[in-house]
RNA sequence: GGCCCUAUAGUUCAAUGGAUAGAAUGUCAGAUUCCGGUUCUGAUGAUCUGGGUUCGAAUCCCGGUAGGGUCACCA
């Protein structure tokens, strides 16, 4: 890497010119802004205390040193405190030649080490997946791929919340009013069917509460004592005590939900190495609570409930077991974390969970530490922002929830319509066309959601998300298709470039800037991995596509008369296309050969 | 109210403490003897507010304003 070389040389310069050690921290090597001459820039302001001279003079002395010491630095210029270095063409061409044919350009070989376990998706089984889950799933999947590409040993896991009062509500509604309906009989996805009964429960429950209030009961009491809720709670108890009838219905309805989820997951293109179910793990947390009581990390109140006192950490008391001995969310999560640690001994346990649960994870880590689990420090909460709609938050009561399947359907239709209007490839078979529309619609959706910094709340505008112009997935997919078309034509024309040597070629400015951008891919990938940020990849690949389009617009390729230049440009195009494909792949986005 | 997070062109997003804050979209004006016009070029337009630290602040610190999250024997 040229940056490291420059850094080392600068340290050497500090010794030779000023007799001092330059701390690496204060060295800043950055890309030269396009409006200035040069390729890489060293900011000299921080070095003034080493040189004890003015910025211009320091930069000048350093510039001379670089040129005299490094063959790859051909010239320099100084503007204010910025030392702009020009890197030799043969350096860029050498990079180009060495990397253009690699199929793993920018990626690292897998390292043999303890895994990074990434939990994402984590659905409840009482309702279908919606827009919020989509951000979660896309993020989790993409971050996993980015870490893998960076050489990490990654395990993707899902934690399904398959037990609790919520699923009992759906079950109860189904028993009362379902009339034996199944996904097959209702012609409905299983998750949708179960979700419908959850909604139905809520309606009927509210009616009951309203009636009770009308007959004179206090609202609070009515909410507690409504027969439906009492019955649902009863059902939960039956579930916990292993009642055969309840368990049977529970398995059956959850089975429907999983079939439905599988369809959505498959369409989204996500998958998992292992799926945990809370029904299997919720008891483990109780063992940890026992341990905590013995170690006096936790305490029991008079009513039998168990708590953790976190006031010395600036937080409140946290409930871990209810007075009736049943476990809560935190209890389950403690157990799941321990199980997962035992399963994998991971270097890092990453949880892709919305930022509304920041407090939860702070507490989780604290309690595990108090229990003496040193690996609690390896818990990383990849906390992402909420997805908002132009008219505010999604609210199920107001019917503004954007359903995942519906959204993908709409995007598919738009992709189809847009492509048909252009009418370029009417020779596609129905099957090919279907595949293309799928590719484009998911490309638009995934790119739209992943290009935003995960930490930030994002605005989801359905109309803009299916746009095909500007900073969008289809724009990049189009660029790729165009490159592939170019390459095919280049080959058909009889050009051959794979074994050619381009070290002596003279680069046009647009060619050089494209190569320089390609050079950035490995470092970008590394940064994206460090920051768990698919957005960095998305922004990079957009820049790359744009840079290519400028090159393409400005420079003749197939009609270039010099066969060497023609081959070089085709090779550069092919390399760019491959890098676009690679980067988009990390976002879970496929790119077409034709569109 | 306590704690946490956020605030950048009309809008949606960028910017390891570094040069004149970049894109997209919108609006206006242009480009094709061409290799795919879902492209390219130009114009327009922004750091919430007041202090502080620094050679240098959108970025770090303090106060204010506005918005969001969270503080359940829900998950």
């Amino acid at each position: 890497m040229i940056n490291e070389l420059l850094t080392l040389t600068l340290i050497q310069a500090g010794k030779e010119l000023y007799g001092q050690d330059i701390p690496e921290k204060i060295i800043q090597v950055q890309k030269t802004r396009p409006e200035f001459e040069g390729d890489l820039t060293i900011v000299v302001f921080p070095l003034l205390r080493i040189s004890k001279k003015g910025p211009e003079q320091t930069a000048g002395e350093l510039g001379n040193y670089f040129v005299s010491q490094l063959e790859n630095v051909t010239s320099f210029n100084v503007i204010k405190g910025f030392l702009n270095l020009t890197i030799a063409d043969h350096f860029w061409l050498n990079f180009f030649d060495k990397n253009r044919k690699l199929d793993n350009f920018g990626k690292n070989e897998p390292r043999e080490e303890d895994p990074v376990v990434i939990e994402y998706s984590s659905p409840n089984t009482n309702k279908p997946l919606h827009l919020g889950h989509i951000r979660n799933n896309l993020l989790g999947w993409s971050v996993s791929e980015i870490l893998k590409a960076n050489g990490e040993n990654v395990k993707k896991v899902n934690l399904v919340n398959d037990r609790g009062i919520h699923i009992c509500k759906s079950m109860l509604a189904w028993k009362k009013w379902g009339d034996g309906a199944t996904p097959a009989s209702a012609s409905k996805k299983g998750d949708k069917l179960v979700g419908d009964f959850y909604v139905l429960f809520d309606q009927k429950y509210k009616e009951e509460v309203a009636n009770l209030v009308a007959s004179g009961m206090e609202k609070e009491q009515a909410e507690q004592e409504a027969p439906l809720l009492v019955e649902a709670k009863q059902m939960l108890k039956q579930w916990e005590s292993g009642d055969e009838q309840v368990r049977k219905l529970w398995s059956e309805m959850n089975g429907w939900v999983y079939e439905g989820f599988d369809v959505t997951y498959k369409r989204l293109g996500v998958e998992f190495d292992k799926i945990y179910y809370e029904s299997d793990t919720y008891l483990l947390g109780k063992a940890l609570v026992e341990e905590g009581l013995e170690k006096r990390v936790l305490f029991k109140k008079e009513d039998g409930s168990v708590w953790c006192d976190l006031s010395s950490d600036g937080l409140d008391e946290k409930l871990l077991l209810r007075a009736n001995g049943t476990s809560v969310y935190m209890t389950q999560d403690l157990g799941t974390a321990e199980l997962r640690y035992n399963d994998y001994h991971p270097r890092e346990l990453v949880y892709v969970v919305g930022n509304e649960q920041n407090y939860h994870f702070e507490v989780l880590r604290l309690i595990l530490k108090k229990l003496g689990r040193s690996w609690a420090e390896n818990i990383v909460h990849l906390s992402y922002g909420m997805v908002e709609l132009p008219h505010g938050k999604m609210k199920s009561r107001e019917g503004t929830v954007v359903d995942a399947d519906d959204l993908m359907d709409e995007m598919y239709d738009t992709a189809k319509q847009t492509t048909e209007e252009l009418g370029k490839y009417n020779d596609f078979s129905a099957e090919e066309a279907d595949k293309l529309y799928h590719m484009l619609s998911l490309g638009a959706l995934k790119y739209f959601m992943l290009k935003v910094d995960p930490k930030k709340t994002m605005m989801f505008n359905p109309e803009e998300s299916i746009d095909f112009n500007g900073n969008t997935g289809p724009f990049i997919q189009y660029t790729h298709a165009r490159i592939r078309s170019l390459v095919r034509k280049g080959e058909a024309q009889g050009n051959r470039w794979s074994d050619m040597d381009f070290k002596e070629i003279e680069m046009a400015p647009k060619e050089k800037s494209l190569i320089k951008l390609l050079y950035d891919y490995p470092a970008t990938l590394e940064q994206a991995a460090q920051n768990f940020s698919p957005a960095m990849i998305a922004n990079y690949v957009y820049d790359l596509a744009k840079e290519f389009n400028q090159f393409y617009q400005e420079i003749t390729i197939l009609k270039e008369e010099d066969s060497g230049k023609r081959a070089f440009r085709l090779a550069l195009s092919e390399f760019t296309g491959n890098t676009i494909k690679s980067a988009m792949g990390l976002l879970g986005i496929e790119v077409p050969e034709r569109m």
Side-chain angles (χ1 to χ4, degrees):
Chain A
M1 292 285 283
I2 187 83
N3 287 38
E4 273 97 63
L5 182 61
L6 294 179
T7 301
L8 288 175
T9 309
L10 184 57
I11 290 172
Q12 201 183 316
K15 282 198 188 104
E16 289 191 21
L17 298 180
Y18 310 115
Q20 293 200 46
D21 289 323
I22 302 179
E24 212 171 322
K25 272 188 291 185
I26 68 167
I27 297 177
Q28 296 178 56
V29 182
Q30 51 195 233
K31 293 168 74 173
T32 303
R33 291 187 153 228
E35 61 264 36
F36 301 104
E37 194 190 328
D39 299 312
L40 291 166
T41 294
I42 290 169
V43 186
V44 300
F45 293 109
L47 307 174
L48 302 184
R49 62 182 166 94
I50 303 283
S51 72
K52 307 227 167 54
K53 291 176 183 168
E56 310 245 339
Q57 195 185 348
T58 306
E61 289 172 0
L62 292 171
N64 280 319
Y65 187 84
F66 276 110
V67 172
S68 71
Q69 293 294 308
L70 297 177
E71 193 201 340
N72 281 333
V73 177
T74 54
S75 65
F76 72 93
N77 66 82
V78 176
I79 296 172
K80 295 194 224 168
F82 298 91
L83 170 59
N84 301 321
L85 303 171
T86 299
I87 307 300
D89 281 357
H90 65 75
F91 172 82
W92 302 114
L93 290 168
N94 204 34
F95 151 77
F96 176 69
D97 235 37
K98 269 193 186 156
N99 293 279
R100 67 189 174 93
K101 284 180 280 183
L102 301 179
D103 17 312
N104 64 343
F105 167 58
K107 301 184 178 178
N108 289 326
E109 289 303 311
R111 292 188 289 271
E112 296 275 336
E113 59 187 11
D114 291 335
V116 173
V117 174
I118 302 187
E119 175 193 305
Y120 69 99
S121 203
S122 317
N124 290 352
T125 56
N126 62 324
K127 43 188 165 189
L129 302 174
H130 58 68
L131 186 56
H133 295 111
I134 291 186
R135 188 174 197 191
N136 181 304
N137 280 283
L138 298 180
L139 262 178
W141 192 88
S142 179
V143 166
S144 302
E145 291 305 304
I146 289 168
L147 292 182
K148 271 193 216 168
N150 208 43
E152 307 271 4
N153 174 11
V154 177
K155 300 292 174 197
K156 295 184 252 214
V157 304
N158 192 357
L159 173 63
V160 180
N161 181 11
D162 60 343
R163 51 148 249 128
I165 192 76
H166 50 84
I167 183 70
C168 288
K169 289 177 180 174
S170 292
M171 285 156 65
L172 189 59
W174 182 87
K175 266 179 80 172
K176 285 185 178 297
W177 305 291
D179 219 5
T182 65
S185 77
S187 309
K188 213 171 232 180
K189 276 181 80 212
D191 52 334
K192 297 277 164 59
L193 184 70
V194 172
D196 287 348
F197 284 110
Y198 186 76
V199 171
L200 183 62
F201 176 94
D202 200 51
Q203 284 170 2
K204 298 278 187 183
Y205 166 70
K206 277 185 183 139
E207 282 170 25
E208 280 189 355
V209 171
N211 288 338
L212 288 172
V213 169
S215 64
M217 194 184 276
E218 286 296 319
K219 196 182 174 207
E220 225 166 85
Q221 191 188 354
E223 283 172 348
Q224 289 301 315
E225 296 183 3
L228 270 175
L229 185 65
V230 171
E231 216 174 325
K233 282 181 174 169
Q234 175 61 25
M235 198 178 230
L236 180 60
K237 270 190 190 152
Q238 288 174 319
W239 183 91
E240 291 199 353
S241 61
D243 180 287
E244 236 175 77
Q245 294 288 323
V246 172
R247 287 285 182 138
K248 192 169 168 242
L249 179 59
W250 173 76
S251 316
E252 188 175 18
M253 289 183 73
N254 270 341
W256 298 344
V257 174
Y258 299 147
E259 280 174 28
F261 281 174
D262 282 347
V263 171
T264 308
Y265 282 146
K266 195 170 178 209
R267 196 167 172 195
L268 262 180
V270 303
E271 77 274 306
F272 307 94
D273 296 306
K274 184 172 178 124
I275 298 180
Y276 289 90
Y277 296 93
E278 283 197 0
S279 55
D280 294 331
T281 68
Y282 81 105
L283 291 172
L284 299 172
K286 291 191 175 180
L288 275 171
V289 171
E290 279 306 312
E291 185 188 323
L293 281 170
E294 279 168 27
K295 288 183 176 173
R296 295 176 186 246
V297 170
L298 311 178
F299 67 95
K300 194 174 264 187
K301 287 191 179 175
E302 279 176 14
D303 63 1
S305 57
V306 177
W307 299 74
C308 187
D309 183 5
L310 298 167
S311 52
S312 61
D313 299 283
L315 303 174
D316 300 329
E317 292 181 346
K318 183 73 191 175
L319 177 84
L320 289 176
L321 280 184
R322 296 187 185 103
N324 68 6
T326 57
S327 62
V328 294
Y329 178 44
M330 182 59 76
T331 327
Q332 299 166 10
D333 246 15
L334 289 170
T336 312
E338 172 115 317
L339 177 64
R340 197 170 297 167
Y341 178 78
N342 291 337
D343 281 350
Y344 290 108
H345 289 274
R347 290 197 310 119
E348 257 177 347
L349 290 126
V350 181
Y351 290 79
V352 182
V353 177
N355 62 13
E356 61 202 343
Q357 293 194 34
N358 285 354
Y359 179 76
H360 173 78
F361 280 95
E362 202 180 335
V363 172
L364 177 69
R365 217 175 337 217
L366 272 174
I367 296 180
L368 283 169
K369 262 188 207 166
K370 285 181 190 291
L371 288 168
R373 303 304 193 268
S374 58
W375 48 265
E377 287 169 16
N378 303 335
I379 289 179
V380 177
H381 176 202
L382 177 39
S383 164
Y384 64 91
M386 300 287 97
V387 182
E388 287 180 0
L389 296 167
H391 300 293
K393 289 197 66 177
M394 284 196 288
K395 287 181 182 145
S396 50
R397 274 169 295 162
E398 293 165 24
T400 54
V401 173
V402 177
D403 177 81
D405 298 313
D406 293 349
L407 180 61
M408 286 190 275
D409 285 344
E410 280 171 39
M411 309 245 344
Y412 180 95
D413 291 341
T414 308
K416 182 175 179 186
Q417 197 187 331
T418 311
T419 306
E420 280 173 353
E421 273 169 14
L422 281 162
K424 277 191 190 162
Y425 280 101
N426 293 327
D427 62 323
F428 272 38
S429 69
E431 200 181 324
E432 283 171 323
D434 172 70
K435 207 178 154 196
L436 178 67
Y437 303 148
H438 173 79
M439 214 186 265
L440 294 179
S441 57
L442 270 125
L445 177 61
K446 290 182 179 184
Y447 187 84
F448 191 87
M449 303 212 77
L450 289 174
K451 74 176 177 188
V452 182
D453 181 342
K455 291 192 295 290
K456 293 195 176 168
T457 303
M458 70 169 291
M459 176 65 61
F460 186 84
N461 185 329
E463 284 165 26
E464 282 176 24
S465 69
I466 51 182
D467 207 330
F468 281 26
N469 299 318
N471 188 355
T472 65
F475 164 81
I476 299 163
Q477 289 171 315
Y478 172 76
T479 303
H480 180 266
R482 194 194 222 182
I483 290 173
R484 296 306 305 163
S485 163
L486 182 66
V487 167
R488 281 191 302 271
K489 284 190 180 158
E491 280 168 349
Q493 229 184 43
N495 298 289
R496 294 293 176 269
W497 56 86
S498 67
D499 295 324
M500 282 188 70
D501 182 338
F502 299 114
K503 286 188 184 128
E504 301 303 323
I505 210 96
E506 201 177 315
M507 288 182 288
K510 276 293 165 201
E511 291 168 339
K512 184 176 169 185
S513 51
L514 188 51
I515 290 178
K516 278 164 68 179
L517 197 52
L518 287 163
Y519 181 83
D520 288 341
Y521 182 55
T524 304
L525 180 46
E526 203 178 309
Q527 270 207 332
Q530 274 164 12
N531 292 291
F532 296 116
S533 175
M536 289 183 171
I537 299 289
N539 289 329
Y540 171 80
V541 71
Y542 171 65
D543 283 342
L544 184 60
K546 218 165 37 142
E547 189 70 39
F548 177 83
N549 282 327
Q550 287 167 18
F551 154 82
Y552 180 87
Q553 196 82 14
E554 199 171 293
I555 290 180
T556 305
I557 300 170
L558 293 181
K559 297 214 164 161
E560 166 59 45
E561 291 182 3
D562 181 314
S563 65
K565 280 187 181 170
R566 202 165 60 225
F568 171 64
R569 289 166 189 174
L570 282 162
L572 180 53
S573 301
E574 186 174 45
F575 186 24
T576 305
N578 291 343
T579 305
I580 288 175
K581 185 175 184 171
S582 159
M584 291 291 265
L586 297 176
L587 304 178
I589 302 173
E590 292 181 286
V591 289
E593 289 288 310
R594 300 196 300 163
M595 66 183 272

